[in-house]
Amino acid sequence: DEAGVRAACADADRLCARTANGAPDGAPGRLAAVFCHADVVGGLMNDGASAMHGIPPDAFPRSPVRIYSGHYHKPHLLPEPTARGRSIRYIGSPYQTSMAEAGQHKALLTLDASRGWAVVGSTPLTLGPRHHVLRAPVRPAQLDALTASLRPSDRVLFLAADPA
């Protein structure tokens, strides 16, 4: 819940400050990142729907603290004004799990702890089946391009034109 998230972030920040006070290595002493698996209001559940319920973005610390979350499969950053000054990133699933994820590019993010857990790299993932959606009318060039890239486990959905 919201109060629990606020309390956990405050506790983590206090722990970072206390640890840094006795640290000979010059640790920054402030919370740099939060890693969670949460419904954040405004997070994109898929290309057509955002979360209406869950933890409000302002329950998390403001930037420069980075928030990395799982739960929603679409990789994305919450945009402003939804993010309310927070850096909230959904890392997404490692592969497309349903037609709702058709066309999404999945990746493994590389973070650098010495740079405040900033994303310093992204490695495309090609795991699991991919989902493709083609809407009528389909051009021959579209079919040729898709056919050349299909893998045995891929799924293709053809949507017919509306007869009306």
Side-chain angles (χ1 to χ4, degrees), residues 93-99 101-104 106 125-132 149-156:
S93 58
Y95 57 90
Q96 297 174 10
T97 62
S98 72
M99 281 294 175
E101 296 178 55
Q104 290 181 10
K106 307 299 184 163
L125 295 175
T126 58
L127 306 169
R130 294 173 301 167
H131 300 272
H132 308 273
S149 69
L150 283 176
R151 298 189 310 225
S153 61
D154 286 359
R155 293 180 58 209
V156 179

Side-chain angles (χ1 to χ4, degrees), residues 14-72:
R14 282 191 294 278
L15 178 62
C16 289
R18 190 173 7 163
T19 303
N21 287 338
D25 63 354
R30 298 300 300 177
L31 181 64
V34 173
F35 297 87
C36 60
H37 189 266
D39 288 306
V40 178
V41 175
L44 299 176
M45 297 183 294
N46 58 45
D47 287 331
S50 61
M52 303 298 287
H53 305 285
I55 299 169
D58 59 9
F60 294 100
R62 289 188 172 275
S63 291
V65 176
R66 292 174 173 88
I67 313 302
Y68 294 100
S69 187
H71 197 63
Y72 297 134

Side-chain angles (χ1 to χ4, degrees), residues 58-154:
D58 59 9
F60 294 100
R62 289 188 172 275
S63 291
V65 176
R66 292 174 173 88
I67 313 302
Y68 294 100
S69 187
H71 197 63
Y72 297 134
H73 292 196
K74 180 181 175 66
H76 68 284
L77 281 167
L78 258 66
E80 290 297 343
T82 303
R84 299 181 186 165
R86 276 69 180 176
S87 173
I88 302 173
R89 178 187 295 263
Y90 276 94
I91 59 171
S93 58
Y95 57 90
Q96 297 174 10
T97 62
S98 72
M99 281 294 175
E101 296 178 55
Q104 290 181 10
H105 298 282
K106 307 299 184 163
L108 177 68
L109 301 178
T110 304
L111 310 178
D112 186 341
S114 70
R115 294 181 51 202
W117 295 100
V119 175
V120 295
S122 178
T123 304
L125 295 175
T126 58
L127 306 169
R130 294 173 301 167
H131 300 272
H132 308 273
V133 177
L134 294 176
R135 290 173 173 77
V138 177
R139 296 183 321 273
Q142 285 177 285
L143 285 176
D144 291 344
L146 180 60
T147 302
S149 69
L150 283 176
R151 298 189 310 225
S153 61
D154 286 359

